[in-house]
Short mmCIF file of all heavy atoms in Angstrom, two decimals:
data_model
loop_
_atom_site.label_atom_id
_atom_site.label_comp_id
_atom_site.label_asym_id
_atom_site.label_seq_id
_atom_site.Cartn_x
_atom_site.Cartn_y
_atom_site.Cartn_z
N GLY A 505 -2.09 58.33 35.87
CA GLY A 505 -1.45 57.86 37.13
C GLY A 505 -1.10 59.08 38.13
O GLY A 505 -1.45 59.07 39.25
N LEU A 506 -0.49 60.10 37.47
CA LEU A 506 -0.17 61.28 38.37
C LEU A 506 -1.46 62.05 38.75
O LEU A 506 -1.53 62.53 39.96
CB LEU A 506 0.75 62.17 37.56
CG LEU A 506 2.15 61.66 37.23
CD1 LEU A 506 2.97 62.70 36.45
CD2 LEU A 506 2.83 61.41 38.60
N ALA A 507 -2.46 62.17 37.89
CA ALA A 507 -3.67 62.85 38.23
C ALA A 507 -4.38 62.14 39.42
O ALA A 507 -4.92 62.80 40.37
CB ALA A 507 -4.63 62.85 37.01
N GLU A 508 -4.48 60.78 39.37
CA GLU A 508 -5.07 60.09 40.42
C GLU A 508 -4.29 60.21 41.78
O GLU A 508 -4.86 60.27 42.88
CB GLU A 508 -5.22 58.61 40.04
CG GLU A 508 -6.29 58.38 39.01
CD GLU A 508 -7.68 58.82 39.42
OE1 GLU A 508 -7.98 58.67 40.62
OE2 GLU A 508 -8.45 59.26 38.53
N ALA A 509 -2.93 60.20 41.58
CA ALA A 509 -2.15 60.41 42.79
C ALA A 509 -2.38 61.76 43.45
O ALA A 509 -2.45 61.91 44.69
CB ALA A 509 -0.67 60.15 42.45
N LEU A 510 -2.44 62.78 42.57
CA LEU A 510 -2.67 64.10 43.04
C LEU A 510 -4.09 64.19 43.77
O LEU A 510 -4.23 64.84 44.87
CB LEU A 510 -2.66 65.13 41.84
CG LEU A 510 -3.10 66.60 42.21
CD1 LEU A 510 -2.11 67.20 43.13
CD2 LEU A 510 -3.19 67.36 40.87
N ASN A 511 -5.08 63.56 43.15
CA ASN A 511 -6.43 63.62 43.72
C ASN A 511 -6.44 62.93 45.09
O ASN A 511 -6.99 63.42 46.10
CB ASN A 511 -7.40 62.93 42.79
CG ASN A 511 -8.84 62.94 43.24
OD1 ASN A 511 -9.38 64.06 43.41
ND2 ASN A 511 -9.51 61.83 43.46
N SER A 512 -5.75 61.79 45.16
CA SER A 512 -5.69 61.07 46.44
C SER A 512 -4.92 61.88 47.55
O SER A 512 -5.30 61.85 48.68
CB SER A 512 -4.92 59.77 46.26
OG SER A 512 -5.67 58.85 45.37
N ALA A 513 -3.88 62.54 47.16
CA ALA A 513 -3.17 63.38 48.04
C ALA A 513 -4.04 64.52 48.55
O ALA A 513 -3.93 64.87 49.74
CB ALA A 513 -1.86 63.92 47.40
N LEU A 514 -4.74 65.14 47.67
CA LEU A 514 -5.63 66.24 48.09
C LEU A 514 -6.73 65.78 49.03
O LEU A 514 -7.05 66.46 50.06
CB LEU A 514 -6.28 66.89 46.88
CG LEU A 514 -5.35 67.69 45.98
CD1 LEU A 514 -6.07 68.20 44.70
CD2 LEU A 514 -4.71 68.89 46.70
N VAL A 515 -7.30 64.62 48.74
CA VAL A 515 -8.29 64.13 49.60
C VAL A 515 -7.73 63.70 51.04
O VAL A 515 -8.32 64.00 52.01
CB VAL A 515 -8.93 62.87 49.01
CG1 VAL A 515 -9.85 62.14 50.05
CG2 VAL A 515 -9.78 63.23 47.75
N ALA A 516 -6.50 63.22 50.97
CA ALA A 516 -5.87 62.81 52.31
C ALA A 516 -5.58 64.07 53.11
O ALA A 516 -5.65 64.02 54.32
CB ALA A 516 -4.59 62.04 52.03
N LEU A 517 -5.29 65.19 52.43
CA LEU A 517 -5.02 66.43 53.17
C LEU A 517 -6.25 67.27 53.53
O LEU A 517 -6.13 68.33 54.18
CB LEU A 517 -4.05 67.30 52.32
CG LEU A 517 -2.69 66.76 52.05
CD1 LEU A 517 -1.93 67.69 51.08
CD2 LEU A 517 -1.92 66.68 53.42
N GLY A 518 -7.40 66.70 53.05
CA GLY A 518 -8.69 67.41 53.37
C GLY A 518 -9.11 68.51 52.45
O GLY A 518 -9.95 69.32 52.88
N PHE A 519 -8.56 68.55 51.29
CA PHE A 519 -8.87 69.55 50.32
C PHE A 519 -9.83 69.05 49.30
O PHE A 519 -9.67 67.88 48.81
CB PHE A 519 -7.66 70.10 49.60
CG PHE A 519 -6.67 70.90 50.49
CD1 PHE A 519 -5.44 70.26 50.93
CD2 PHE A 519 -6.96 72.14 50.86
CE1 PHE A 519 -4.64 70.87 51.73
CE2 PHE A 519 -6.08 72.82 51.69
CZ PHE A 519 -4.88 72.17 52.15
N ASP A 520 -10.83 69.89 48.93
CA ASP A 520 -11.74 69.58 47.85
C ASP A 520 -11.69 70.63 46.82
O ASP A 520 -12.33 71.67 46.99
CB ASP A 520 -13.16 69.41 48.42
CG ASP A 520 -14.18 68.98 47.35
OD1 ASP A 520 -13.74 68.62 46.24
OD2 ASP A 520 -15.36 69.05 47.59
N LEU A 521 -10.87 70.42 45.75
CA LEU A 521 -10.63 71.50 44.73
C LEU A 521 -11.21 70.97 43.42
O LEU A 521 -10.63 70.23 42.66
CB LEU A 521 -9.12 71.70 44.65
CG LEU A 521 -8.48 72.20 45.87
CD1 LEU A 521 -6.96 72.37 45.67
CD2 LEU A 521 -9.04 73.50 46.35
N PRO A 522 -12.52 71.45 43.11
CA PRO A 522 -13.09 71.05 41.76
C PRO A 522 -12.22 71.66 40.64
O PRO A 522 -11.74 72.72 40.65
CB PRO A 522 -14.44 71.73 41.76
CG PRO A 522 -14.72 71.97 43.30
CD PRO A 522 -13.38 72.19 43.91
N GLY A 523 -11.97 70.76 39.67
CA GLY A 523 -11.12 71.14 38.49
C GLY A 523 -9.69 71.01 38.67
O GLY A 523 -8.91 71.40 37.78
N ALA A 524 -9.25 70.46 39.82
CA ALA A 524 -7.82 70.27 40.05
C ALA A 524 -7.19 69.45 39.01
O ALA A 524 -6.00 69.62 38.53
CB ALA A 524 -7.58 69.73 41.44
N LYS A 525 -7.97 68.33 38.62
CA LYS A 525 -7.38 67.40 37.64
C LYS A 525 -7.18 68.13 36.31
O LYS A 525 -6.17 67.90 35.64
CB LYS A 525 -8.26 66.20 37.44
CG LYS A 525 -7.80 65.18 36.50
CD LYS A 525 -8.76 63.99 36.34
CE LYS A 525 -8.83 63.20 37.66
NZ LYS A 525 -9.70 61.95 37.47
N GLN A 526 -8.16 68.91 35.91
CA GLN A 526 -8.05 69.70 34.63
C GLN A 526 -6.83 70.64 34.66
O GLN A 526 -6.12 70.77 33.65
CB GLN A 526 -9.34 70.44 34.29
CG GLN A 526 -10.50 69.51 33.87
CD GLN A 526 -11.10 68.64 35.01
OE1 GLN A 526 -10.87 69.00 36.18
NE2 GLN A 526 -11.79 67.58 34.64
N VAL A 527 -6.66 71.29 35.78
CA VAL A 527 -5.59 72.21 35.88
C VAL A 527 -4.21 71.42 35.78
O VAL A 527 -3.19 71.85 35.13
CB VAL A 527 -5.59 72.96 37.17
CG1 VAL A 527 -4.32 73.77 37.41
CG2 VAL A 527 -6.82 73.92 37.22
N PHE A 528 -4.19 70.25 36.48
CA PHE A 528 -2.97 69.43 36.39
C PHE A 528 -2.71 68.99 34.99
O PHE A 528 -1.55 68.99 34.47
CB PHE A 528 -3.21 68.20 37.24
CG PHE A 528 -2.14 67.16 37.15
CD1 PHE A 528 -0.93 67.37 37.75
CD2 PHE A 528 -2.26 66.01 36.43
CE1 PHE A 528 0.15 66.40 37.63
CE2 PHE A 528 -1.25 65.04 36.32
CZ PHE A 528 -0.05 65.29 36.94
N TYR A 529 -3.77 68.60 34.18
CA TYR A 529 -3.54 68.27 32.78
C TYR A 529 -2.97 69.38 31.99
O TYR A 529 -2.05 69.22 31.12
CB TYR A 529 -4.94 67.81 32.18
CG TYR A 529 -5.35 66.45 32.55
CD1 TYR A 529 -6.71 66.09 32.48
CD2 TYR A 529 -4.51 65.51 33.01
CE1 TYR A 529 -7.15 64.86 32.82
CE2 TYR A 529 -4.97 64.19 33.41
CZ TYR A 529 -6.33 63.94 33.35
OH TYR A 529 -6.73 62.73 33.64
N GLY A 530 -3.54 70.58 32.20
CA GLY A 530 -2.90 71.75 31.56
C GLY A 530 -1.57 72.01 31.85
O GLY A 530 -0.68 72.32 30.97
N VAL A 531 -1.21 71.91 33.13
CA VAL A 531 0.26 72.07 33.51
C VAL A 531 1.11 71.09 32.86
O VAL A 531 2.26 71.37 32.31
CB VAL A 531 0.41 72.08 35.03
CG1 VAL A 531 1.93 72.10 35.42
CG2 VAL A 531 -0.35 73.19 35.75
N CYS A 532 0.76 69.76 32.85
CA CYS A 532 1.54 68.79 32.23
C CYS A 532 1.72 68.98 30.72
O CYS A 532 2.88 68.84 30.23
CB CYS A 532 0.82 67.43 32.41
SG CYS A 532 1.01 66.72 34.14
N LEU A 533 0.64 69.40 30.07
CA LEU A 533 0.83 69.72 28.61
C LEU A 533 1.75 70.84 28.38
O LEU A 533 2.54 70.85 27.41
CB LEU A 533 -0.55 69.98 28.04
CG LEU A 533 -1.56 68.78 27.83
CD1 LEU A 533 -2.87 69.23 27.29
CD2 LEU A 533 -0.94 67.76 26.96
N LEU A 534 1.58 71.91 29.19
CA LEU A 534 2.52 73.01 29.07
C LEU A 534 3.93 72.62 29.28
O LEU A 534 4.83 72.99 28.47
CB LEU A 534 2.11 74.12 30.12
CG LEU A 534 3.02 75.37 30.10
CD1 LEU A 534 2.80 76.12 28.73
CD2 LEU A 534 2.57 76.31 31.14
N LEU A 535 4.26 71.80 30.19
CA LEU A 535 5.60 71.31 30.51
C LEU A 535 6.13 70.46 29.32
O LEU A 535 7.26 70.61 28.89
CB LEU A 535 5.68 70.53 31.73
CG LEU A 535 5.58 71.26 33.05
CD1 LEU A 535 5.45 70.41 34.25
CD2 LEU A 535 6.61 72.35 33.18
#
Side-chain angles (χ1 to χ4, degrees):
L506 291 178
E508 290 299 326
L510 174 65
N511 185 59
S512 299
L514 290 175
V515 171
L517 293 173
F519 292 103
D520 183 14
L521 300 177
K525 184 181 292 187
Q526 286 72 21
V527 173
F528 173 76
Y529 285 158
V531 172
C532 286
L533 287 178
L534 179 62
L535 289 175

